[in-house]
Amino acid sequence: MADREERVSRAVLEEAVQAFRRRYPGCEPSIAVAAPGRVNLIGEHTDYNQGFVLPMALPMVTVVVGCQSTDGIISLCTLAKEADDPKQLEFPVPSEGNPLVPGLPKWANYVKGVIQHYRAGSLTGFKAVAASNVPFGGGLSSSAALEVAFYTFLQQICPDDGDLVQKALTCQKAEHTFASMPCGIMDQFISVMGEAGHALLIDCRSLQVTPVPISDPNLVILITNSNVRHSLTGSEYPTRRKQCLEAAEVLGKDSLRDASMAELEAAKARLDTEVYRRARHVISEIKRTAEAADALKSRNYREFGNLMVQSHNSLRDDYDVSCRELDELVSAAVNGEGVYGSRMTGGGFGGCTVTLLEAAAVEKTIQRIKDTYSGTPTFYITKPSRGAHLLQL
């Protein structure tokens, strides 16, 4: 699988290099970087509640190639078919008197935010092309991969202090301020700090990271893309976040991380029914995630799978972020031998599911999903991969 993943990554790099040469005749890229998407094994909608998450970086990456320029102009180009037009644009390097601001095309806001908030020195300009094989709108964090890839690119032009936590926080800030998405820290964190062969248990309050090995050759992580796309900006995602803050305030807590289920039940009469259910998901999900990390460490895959299914049911029933297609995929996955568990992953309302299963059960599981799912799914057999890194040109 490692050779196949390397070939796929090199194919994305080659696509970006060829596009750079076409876009900028006479120029040759001198920098190439990659940043991965991620799949969250468990711990959904807990990161902005200062809870625990258990993601892993994927071998699917966003690649940025380019070169520095001295003309004070930033020139960007994306090869993503799903990106809104125009797919290339130019603008002056930001200054104190002329900062960058969000606008159109929307895809460029993720990059502009990173450039505006970059923490080192003065940029003189650059030319860059981005290519990716991270599915857009699939809940595998294509946006964080784009942000982290460009931050890593900027580090090669104008080095910062190398603080990985601050790198992730800056990319998160870019998404908050330029894409208007009040995301938690998980996506940027795992794209920066992912480790090959490990999931990361991230404490989203202390930002402490505990690697959890996933090295059993008989264990497979299967991602199934429903190919139903979602957009949470300005709608459901911010609403959920506000409901969690409201519940924490009623409970007298800084965040739901500090609340127990007993305290929630005691305050039930003072909470709106919907807000109560949102808080019930978060409090139970934080507990499930810690238990799941322990189960994975001890290779208790059956327990881990049970917790995955509980997580999905809670996201469906209490957090209301699943949908018919995701429910179909989870049901089809777990309705067979050799499958430990399955759940939706990502923000919800479409995107992907993640399934933990025995290697011997993969073929039959994929066929069963194809036979019963009402849509046309796409499958990825994957493993934990490294975070952002340089590529050889």
Side-chain angles (χ1 to χ4, degrees):
M1 183 180 285
D3 291 342
R4 178 181 176 277
E5 291 169 354
E6 181 65 24
R7 287 196 303 272
V8 171
S9 181
R10 296 300 299 183
V12 178
L13 173 61
E14 184 61 26
E15 180 187 20
V17 169
Q18 294 302 323
F20 185 92
R21 290 169 178 162
R22 291 192 303 270
R23 176 74 178 89
Y24 308 108
C27 291
E28 194 69 15
S30 58
I31 301 165
V33 302
R38 64 97 187 97
V39 65
N40 191 22
L41 300 178
I42 194 168
E44 218 66 74
H45 292 279
T46 52
D47 57 347
Y48 54 84
N49 288 289
Q50 299 186 12
F52 295 104
V53 292
L54 188 64
M56 68 180 213
L58 294 172
M60 292 177 277
V61 295
T62 292
V63 169
V64 175
V65 303
C67 64
Q68 189 171 7
S69 63
T70 58
D71 57 4
I73 298 297
I74 292 171
S75 182
L76 303 176
C77 177
T78 179
L79 303 185
K81 296 179 178 65
E82 304 88 350
D84 53 328
D85 291 327
K87 292 185 171 56
Q88 53 193 45
L89 71 159
E90 292 185 346
F91 49 86
V93 170
S95 63
E96 187 173 341
N98 187 31
L100 297 180
V101 294
L104 296 176
K106 291 181 180 179
W107 69 265
N109 288 332
Y110 298 96
V111 182
K112 286 180 179 178
V114 170
I115 295 169
Q116 182 61 41
H117 298 309
Y118 189 66
R119 301 178 302 109
S122 299
L123 296 172
T124 60
F126 62 84
K127 297 175 173 64
V129 170
S132 183
N133 62 355
V134 184
F136 178 80
L140 301 181
S141 201
S142 57
S143 58
L146 180 63
E147 293 155 2
V148 173
F150 264 97
Y151 193 106
T152 307
F153 178 84
L154 295 180
Q155 287 178 300
Q156 312 317 304
I157 294 175
C158 187
D160 67 351
D161 58 10
D163 187 319
L164 296 182
V165 171
Q166 288 304 315
K167 177 177 179 176
L169 289 171
T170 300
C171 291
Q172 180 197 31
K173 184 179 181 181
E175 189 149 341
H176 286 186
T177 57
F178 274 68
S180 299
M181 174 62 79
C183 60
I185 191 58
M186 172 179 64
D187 296 352
Q188 292 81 9
F189 221 83
I190 188 67
S191 189
V192 170
M193 299 188 186
E195 293 186 22
H198 296 78
L200 297 185
L201 178 66
I202 303 171
D203 182 332
C204 296
R205 178 163 60 189
S206 69
L207 300 184
Q208 180 179 352
V209 174
T210 304
V212 181
I214 303 179
S215 56
D216 188 335
N218 296 314
L219 189 69
V220 166
I221 295 163
L222 174 67
I223 298 172
T224 305
N225 193 341
S226 69
N227 290 309
V228 175
R229 292 179 183 169
H230 60 82
S231 176
L232 299 176
T233 305
S235 56
E236 297 293 341
Y237 189 104
T239 298
R240 297 300 186 282
R241 187 161 185 158
K242 288 177 184 176
Q243 290 171 326
C244 291
L245 291 172
E246 180 182 337
E249 185 176 353
V250 170
L251 292 170
K253 307 293 183 181
D254 290 334
S255 75
L256 290 177
R257 163 70 177 270
D258 298 314
S260 68
M261 199 61 74
E263 289 172 322
L264 177 65
E265 292 302 323
K268 185 175 181 179
R270 294 186 285 129
L271 289 166
D272 173 82
T273 302
E274 197 171 78
V275 170
Y276 163 77
R277 289 194 293 113
R278 305 295 187 251
R280 184 168 63 181
H281 164 72
V282 171
I283 295 169
S284 63
E285 184 81 347
I286 290 172
K287 182 173 182 290
R288 273 191 295 272
T289 305
E291 292 173 350
D294 289 339
L296 196 56
K297 288 175 189 174
S298 61
R299 297 196 173 194
N300 187 347
Y301 304 137
R302 187 63 60 190
E303 174 62 15
F304 189 93
N306 288 338
L307 291 165
M308 291 177 79
V309 174
Q310 290 175 29
S311 171
H312 180 80
N313 292 343
S314 180
L315 287 159
R316 179 193 65 203
D317 300 334
D318 279 347
Y319 223 63
D320 289 326
V321 291
S322 188
C323 61
R324 175 182 57 81
E325 293 88 353
L326 292 174
D327 295 343
E328 284 181 7
L329 291 175
V330 169
S331 177
V334 299
N335 190 27
E337 294 183 2
V339 177
Y340 297 112
S342 185
R343 61 185 289 276
M344 60 157 278
T345 185
F349 306 105
C352 294
T353 62
V354 58
T355 303
L356 193 75
L357 70 167
E358 297 173 357
V362 171
E363 190 173 326
K364 286 185 177 179
T365 301
I366 289 176
Q367 190 58 54
R368 185 169 62 253
I369 293 172
K370 286 181 178 179
D371 291 343
T372 58
Y373 178 51
S374 60
T376 305
T378 306
F379 300 95
Y380 310 95
I381 298 169
T382 190
K383 66 176 184 178
S385 300
R386 59 177 168 166
H389 55 278
L390 300 181
L391 295 172
Q392 288 275 18
L393 283 167

